[in-house]
Amino acid sequence: KTRQFMRAFNEINLHFSEVFTKLSPGGISKMILENPAKPFEGGIVIEARPRGKKITSIESLSGGEKTLVALSFIFAVEHFQPSPFYVMDEIDAALDGPNVHRVSMVIKEFATSSQFIVISHREENIVNADKIYGVSMKDSITDVFSIKMEEMEVAPGDKSMEDM
Amino acid sequence: KTRQFMRAFNEINLHFSEVFTKLSPGGISKMILENPAKPFEGGIVIEARPRGKKITSIESLSGGEKTLVALSFIFAVEHFQPSPFYVMDEIDAALDGPNVHRVSMVIKEFATSSQFIVISHREENIVNADKIYGVSMKDSITDVFSIKMEEMEVAPGDKSMEDM
Amino acid sequence: TYIKEIIFKGFKSFGDQVVSVKLDKGFTAIIGPNGSGKSNIIDGLCFSLGRLSKKTMRAENLKDLIFVGTKTKKPASSAEVTVIFDNSQNLFPGFTGQDLMISREVNDKGKGTYRLNGTRCTREEILLKLALANVDPDGFNFILQGKIVELTHMSPEDRRIFIEELV
Amino acid sequence: TYIKEIIFKGFKSFGDQVVSVKLDKGFTAIIGPNGSGKSNIIDGLCFSLGRLSKKTMRAENLKDLIFVGTKTKKPASSAEVTVIFDNSQNLFPGFTGQDLMISREVNDKGKGTYRLNGTRCTREEILLKLALANVDPDGFNFILQGKIVELTHMSPEDRRIFIEELV
Ligand SMILES: Nc1ncnc2c1ncn2[C@@H]1O[C@H](COP(=O)(O)OP(=O)(O)OP(=O)(O)O)[C@@H](O)[C@H]1O
Ligand SMILES: Nc1ncnc2c1ncn2[C@@H]1O[C@H](COP(=O)(O)OP(=O)(O)OP(=O)(O)O)[C@@H](O)[C@H]1O
Ligand SMILES: [Mg+2]
Ligand SMILES: [Mg+2]
């Protein structure tokens, strides 16, 4: 049982570092067993170090940095044991433009093997989608409709959506 | 004492509705005493109804709608008893473009009487500031510098900031 | 497998009518103004897959999930959400040749019903089918609004338990 | 009154050097990439005004607020933040003709010091001065990152108590 756990832990750890470096270039992250000799008697601690910075507790990372760490963890688990679909509701809320773009590219990469349903207000994310659905209130009732990429000139949720 | 409380309650309630209607056009909101006869034996409940919709619990409002309700409350209290300064760290994270703009205009209005220090990644908010400070990592240390509005061509936190 | 379609009737802001959202494999983006109903789509998906925690669907009672009406429309008497999973790989034996259709309904008395391809069943039977696809209504594959940063605040024990449960 | 300047030395990501942020009345926007130090500015402001809750400044211990160094720079031995409040309206009698300068420092032994215009004082004396300006380090005029939506989840009692405390 311990061997099974260690195999999962090591594989997820590998992917965790890989994905974090994609999202935070030059950054390093890893999961650490509190009790390496007896894994089940301790927990798993996360260490993440953006490029050039020294390790601080994960608590003192910024909102955007924490988002990247959390997403790296999710994608690492996805690699190990994919779910058929993923739902992500405004996961890019705390991210600056370049980070939204990097996250979006990673979603695109993993979307070749799993289905991703992503709610977002951020243009740098939406432009990478294979399919876009617009949602708006029509007579105060939710209406859902397909949007062609070519119709997406303005940042969505912006003026273009208000006109619909 | 009750009279003092009721005077504050009524005045804040008035501003609460006013500001909410500015942020959510056609919307209605009010604070309600759970025990109008004995205010101190009950709490204060908030009701908020965006245009055209029927009242649902404040719990079932969307992330963006909750943000507007919370800000309306803050600004209502500001009206009643201004603080010399306000700090707002990414309060627009959950808002779509048009709502960011409305919130920004209300900040601008209240900024004539109080100092507002607003952290944001959203262009529709930043363009309304009287003064802009850029923050970036230089040799992995925080550097703070003034930015002229004319330098702000691209959405901040985007490519323009990465080049700095 | 993947989700081919989600069908709403009387659920939250979808009105007392049938609203169908067809989905494809790959990367689908859902966009729109605040309060338009994007997260409600997700709540509907969670609801239909048997999620029990009403709080995570922003409802105090199951009845809060029923469309309350608008200025011009009457409330619905029940809320129903159907999710259709692709079965072209026969991931769900026993439904060979057809897609897996999971349905859940709640009426204004608070009474709930689950259906599998039209036939009434229990929540446990739904969960068993979903387990074949490695789907869990409370799974980490659902990152709900505002919840992504919370993931970094998981205690070390919970993180270890999470990985334990994967194997 | 308003905040004229915030001065950091050895605080969080500001390095072991003096960093000054001059502010004006009105609407100031602070922008920059993720992790650049924007929220750290706010943490510094809270710290200097006497905020006790380390958690809200994302530190487990006060010592975590001291610059830990980088690949090329050594850590700082203490963290200090100074806030300068305008006193042109003589809102702070006893400091007539000068601005109010509140300073707080913590060293790597965890020992803390407060200063008022250079003179050592207690945290209580700082709070008394701030009260003249209706400033409270734990006040609702600080909306920290990720906290705006939480405001709608206040219990009815807490909301009433909040208004009670205003009067
Ligand atoms: N039972 C119900 N009947 C009718 N409307 C409802 C019901 N429950 C919730 N709503 C409405 O649904 C709206 C919220 O929808 P939702 O959370 O999906 O918005 P959203 O598109 O995700 O917005 P945001 O971008 O702000 O997150 C609210 O305005 C709420 O009043
Ligand atoms: N004591 C310390 N010494 C050095 N660096 C620190 C210290 N404490 C925190 N930091 C660094 O400060 C950074 C976070 O800064 P901050 O939260 O201000 O970012 P931010 O600009 O608000 O970003 P975001 O836009 O993502 O919210 C982290 O990278 C963290 O490692
Ligand atoms: Mg939403
Ligand atoms: Mg921040």
Side-chain angles (χ1 to χ4, degrees):
Chain A
K1 172 175 189 226
T2 305
R3 217 174 337 131
Q4 240 187 341
F5 173 84
M6 286 312 296
R7 202 163 48 78
F9 175 81
N10 290 327
E11 189 172 332
I12 293 171
N13 209 354
L14 188 69
H15 296 308
F16 179 56
S17 309
E18 266 176 24
V19 177
F20 184 73
T21 307
K22 272 187 192 158
L23 297 180
S24 181
I28 295 175
S29 76
K30 51 185 189 285
M31 308 190 310
I32 300 172
L33 289 166
E34 286 182 316
N35 191 336
K38 298 176 178 170
F40 298 115
E41 293 190 18
I44 297 171
V45 168
I46 290 185
E47 246 179 32
R49 197 179 60 75
R51 175 179 60 203
K53 297 183 184 179
K54 257 206 200 158
I55 300 251
T56 52
S57 77
I58 206 160
E59 211 25 62
S60 63
L61 289 181
S62 80
E65 290 168 327
K66 282 178 184 172
T67 298
L68 299 184
V69 170
L71 288 171
S72 303
F73 184 75
I74 300 267
F75 285 119
V77 172
E78 204 276 354
H79 225 272
F80 174 74
Q81 198 178 90
S83 203
F85 69 90
Y86 286 82
V87 166
M88 300 184 150
D89 196 343
E90 294 193 28
I91 52 156
D92 47 23
L95 300 178
D96 59 41
N99 277 331
V100 174
H101 171 69
R102 278 176 212 118
V103 166
S104 194
M105 297 307 282
V106 170
I107 291 175
K108 206 160 172 62
E109 177 190 339
F110 281 83
T112 53
S113 52
S114 293
Q115 177 183 40
F116 278 79
I117 301 166
V118 178
I119 297 176
S120 175
H121 290 295
R122 311 294 293 277
E123 187 173 15
E124 302 93 331
N125 194 0
I126 297 150
V127 295
N128 290 319
D130 302 317
K131 198 172 203 285
I132 302 176
Y133 270 108
V135 179
S136 68
M137 280 272 148
K138 205 158 125 215
D139 306 321
S140 305
I141 283 184
T142 294
D143 179 37
V144 187
F145 48 91
S146 205
I147 294 182
K148 297 266 180 299
M149 191 65 73
E150 304 77 53
E151 301 173 37
M152 288 277 315
E153 293 186 17
V154 202
D158 267 20
K159 315 170 185 55
S160 62
M161 289 304 301
E162 281 228 322
D163 301 336
M164 291 180 174
Chain B
K1 171 174 187 227
T2 306
R3 219 175 334 132
Q4 240 187 342
F5 173 85
M6 286 312 297
R7 202 163 48 78
F9 176 81
N10 290 328
E11 189 173 332
I12 293 172
N13 209 354
L14 189 69
H15 297 307
F16 179 56
S17 310
E18 267 176 22
V19 178
F20 184 73
T21 307
K22 271 186 192 157
L23 296 180
S24 181
I28 294 175
S29 76
K30 51 186 191 286
M31 308 192 309
I32 300 172
L33 288 165
E34 284 181 320
N35 192 337
K38 299 177 178 170
F40 299 114
E41 293 190 18
I44 296 171
V45 168
I46 289 184
E47 245 178 34
R49 197 177 62 74
R51 176 180 60 202
K53 297 184 185 180
K54 258 206 201 159
I55 300 253
T56 51
S57 77
I58 206 158
E59 212 23 64
S60 63
L61 290 180
S62 79
E65 290 167 329
K66 283 178 183 170
T67 299
L68 300 183
V69 170
L71 287 171
S72 303
F73 184 74
I74 300 268
F75 285 119
V77 172
E78 204 277 353
H79 224 273
F80 175 74
Q81 198 178 89
S83 203
F85 68 91
Y86 286 83
V87 165
M88 300 183 152
D89 196 342
E90 294 193 28
I91 52 156
D92 47 23
L95 301 178
D96 60 39
N99 277 331
V100 174
H101 171 71
R102 278 177 213 118
V103 166
S104 194
M105 297 307 282
V106 171
I107 291 175
K108 208 161 171 60
E109 175 190 339
F110 281 82
T112 53
S113 53
S114 293
Q115 178 183 38
F116 278 80
I117 301 166
V118 177
I119 298 176
S120 176
H121 289 295
R122 311 293 293 276
E123 188 172 14
E124 302 93 332
N125 193 0
I126 297 151
V127 295
N128 289 320
D130 303 318
K131 196 171 204 285
I132 302 177
Y133 270 108
V135 179
S136 68
M137 279 273 147
K138 204 156 124 216
D139 305 322
S140 305
I141 283 182
T142 294
D143 180 37
V144 187
F145 48 92
S146 206
I147 294 183
K148 297 264 179 302
M149 192 64 73
E150 304 79 53
E151 300 173 38
M152 287 277 314
E153 291 186 18
V154 203
D158 268 21
K159 315 167 187 56
S160 61
M161 289 305 302
E162 281 228 323
D163 302 337
M164 292 179 176
Chain C
T1 183
Y2 65 98
I3 298 172
K4 285 177 104 166
E5 189 175 0
I6 310 175
I7 306 167
F8 306 84
K9 182 171 199 307
F11 185 82
K12 292 190 112 183
S13 58
F14 291 92
D16 198 5
Q17 60 195 17
V18 177
V19 180
S20 150
V21 180
K22 291 190 173 56
L23 295 165
D24 275 327
K25 300 186 192 185
F27 179 179
T28 298
I30 297 177
I31 70 177
N34 292 132
S36 54
K38 307 179 295 294
S39 299
N40 288 344
I41 293 173
I42 307 308
D43 293 340
L45 178 57
C46 292
F47 170 76
S48 66
L49 298 184
R51 186 175 277 236
L52 289 178
S53 158
K54 294 157 235 134
K55 192 156 178 283
T56 60
M57 299 187 281
R58 291 169 296 152
E60 270 191 57
N61 308 299
L62 283 180
K63 294 197 273 162
D64 296 335
L65 297 176
I66 302 174
F67 171 63
V68 297
T70 66
K71 297 201 149 199
T72 53
K73 295 184 179 67
K74 298 226 271 29
S77 55
S78 71
E80 180 176 28
V81 183
T82 302
V83 183
I84 303 181
F85 283 94
D86 169 75
N87 193 25
S88 56
Q89 308 300 316
N90 204 26
L91 181 60
F92 307 106
F95 293 91
T96 311
Q98 52 183 322
D99 292 322
L100 185 78
M101 248 175 81
I102 295 176
S103 224
R104 179 180 179 189
E105 184 179 17
V106 66
N107 66 20
D108 49 18
K109 318 273 181 300
K111 184 171 174 312
T113 311
Y114 287 90
R115 283 189 171 78
L116 216 39
N117 287 54
T119 309
R120 286 203 54 175
C121 65
T122 65
R123 179 174 174 269
E124 284 59 39
E125 292 175 84
I126 301 269
L127 295 183
L128 281 172
K129 287 287 170 279
L130 291 176
L132 294 172
N134 195 25
V135 173
D136 164 10
D138 299 310
F140 265 81
N141 57 322
F142 287 93
I143 308 177
L144 303 186
Q145 192 163 358
K147 298 297 179 197
I148 181 68
V149 169
E150 262 185 31
L151 263 165
T152 51
H153 298 156
M154 229 197 292
S155 78
E157 284 66 36
D158 290 343
R159 213 171 273 131
R160 190 210 70 229
I161 291 170
F162 172 71
I163 299 205
E164 270 185 77
E165 298 187 339
L166 287 177
V167 286
Chain D
T1 184
Y2 64 98
I3 299 172
K4 286 177 104 166
E5 190 175 1
I6 310 174
I7 306 167
F8 306 86
K9 182 169 197 310
F11 184 82
K12 291 189 111 183
S13 58
F14 291 92
D16 198 5
Q17 60 195 19
V18 177
V19 179
S20 151
V21 181
K22 291 192 173 52
L23 295 165
D24 275 328
K25 300 186 193 186
F27 179 178
T28 297
I30 297 178
I31 70 177
N34 292 132
S36 54
K38 307 180 296 294
S39 299
N40 288 345
I41 293 173
I42 308 309
D43 293 341
L45 177 58
C46 292
F47 170 75
S48 66
L49 299 184
R51 185 175 279 235
L52 289 178
S53 158
K54 295 157 233 132
K55 193 158 178 282
T56 61
M57 300 186 281
R58 291 169 296 152
E60 270 192 56
N61 308 299
L62 283 180
K63 293 197 276 162
D64 297 333
L65 297 175
I66 303 172
F67 172 63
V68 298
T70 67
K71 298 202 149 197
T72 53
K73 296 187 178 63
K74 300 228 273 18
S77 55
S78 71
E80 180 177 28
V81 182
T82 302
V83 183
I84 303 181
F85 283 93
D86 168 75
N87 193 25
S88 57
Q89 310 298 317
N90 204 26
L91 180 60
F92 308 106
F95 293 90
T96 311
Q98 52 183 319
D99 292 321
L100 184 78
M101 249 175 79
I102 295 176
S103 226
R104 179 180 178 189
E105 183 179 16
V106 67
N107 66 19
D108 49 18
K109 317 275 181 301
K111 185 170 174 310
T113 312
Y114 287 90
R115 285 189 169 77
L116 217 38
N117 287 53
T119 309
R120 286 202 55 173
C121 65
T122 65
R123 178 174 175 270
E124 283 61 38
E125 293 174 85
I126 300 269
L127 295 183
L128 281 172
K129 288 286 171 279
L130 292 176
L132 294 172
N134 194 25
V135 174
D136 163 12
D138 300 309
F140 265 80
N141 56 325
F142 287 93
I143 307 177
L144 303 186
Q145 191 164 359
K147 299 298 180 198
I148 182 68
V149 170
E150 263 184 31
L151 263 164
T152 51
H153 298 157
M154 230 197 290
S155 79
E157 284 67 35
D158 289 344
R159 215 171 272 133
R160 190 209 72 229
I161 291 170
F162 173 70
I163 299 206
E164 271 185 78
E165 300 187 337
L166 287 177
V167 285

